[in-house]
Amino acid sequence: MIDPSVIRRLVGVYHADGGLRGELAYVVGKVRGTASCALCDITHGAFGRRREWRDLLPELGVPVELVHLNERSAPVRAASQGRTPCVLAVTDGGHLPLLGPDDLAGLDGDVARFAEALRAAAGRAGLRWETTD
């Protein structure tokens, strides 16, 4: 059944390009203080994906896709252009922004605060999580 108020999946868009060259440019920029990505700070630590992030994913109850700027599909690009990093809700009605750069920056890399902010943003947008009842 089509329901534009149900979150089918989430897409997080990093404020960096993917691939070896993009990752290297981001790391160098981060060290120099010229590059930042608040979503990266939430999902990754010094040695890869954060345990807290991995633990959160099953609790969300919907698939979560993380993409870099150069990996975005056309609908993700349209919904996120000029507003990265961000998290989008994918519904039957399209891709809807839930958390933008300022929202994510205010979380200071805290996964638990991210989960709270995400749920609150979905509620404010009138969205609900897909259930398998």
Side-chain angles (χ1 to χ4, degrees):
M1 181 164 113
I2 294 177
D3 187 341
S5 68
V6 173
I7 299 171
R8 304 291 182 192
R9 67 187 171 95
L10 298 169
V11 178
V13 182
Y14 293 121
H15 189 70
D17 282 335
L20 182 58
R21 187 177 188 153
E23 297 284 342
L24 184 58
Y26 176 75
V27 168
V28 169
K30 181 105 171 150
V31 169
R32 288 183 174 168
T34 59
S36 66
C37 174
L39 183 58
C40 295
D41 295 342
I42 292 166
T43 62
H44 286 77
F47 303 107
R49 293 261 166 108
R50 297 175 70 186
R51 180 181 44 81
E52 297 91 344
W53 175 255
R54 291 190 313 265
D55 292 346
L56 172 65
L57 293 176
E59 293 176 23
L60 294 175
V62 296
V64 177
E65 178 185 7
L66 297 170
V67 298
H68 295 90
L69 292 172
N70 62 333
E71 300 165 340
R72 295 176 291 173
S73 66
V76 170
R77 179 176 285 113
S80 65
Q81 193 63 36
R83 292 172 285 205
T84 58
C86 66
V87 177
L88 308 172
V90 179
T91 72
D92 294 333
H95 293 64
L96 306 171
L98 287 182
L99 297 173
D102 293 338
D103 302 314
L104 293 168
L107 301 174
D108 297 319
D110 189 298
V111 175
R113 288 179 58 205
F114 169 82
E116 291 171 13
L118 184 65
R119 289 183 178 108
R124 284 191 304 275
L127 300 176
R128 52 193 174 81
W129 301 96
E130 183 174 40
T131 60
T132 56
D133 321 60

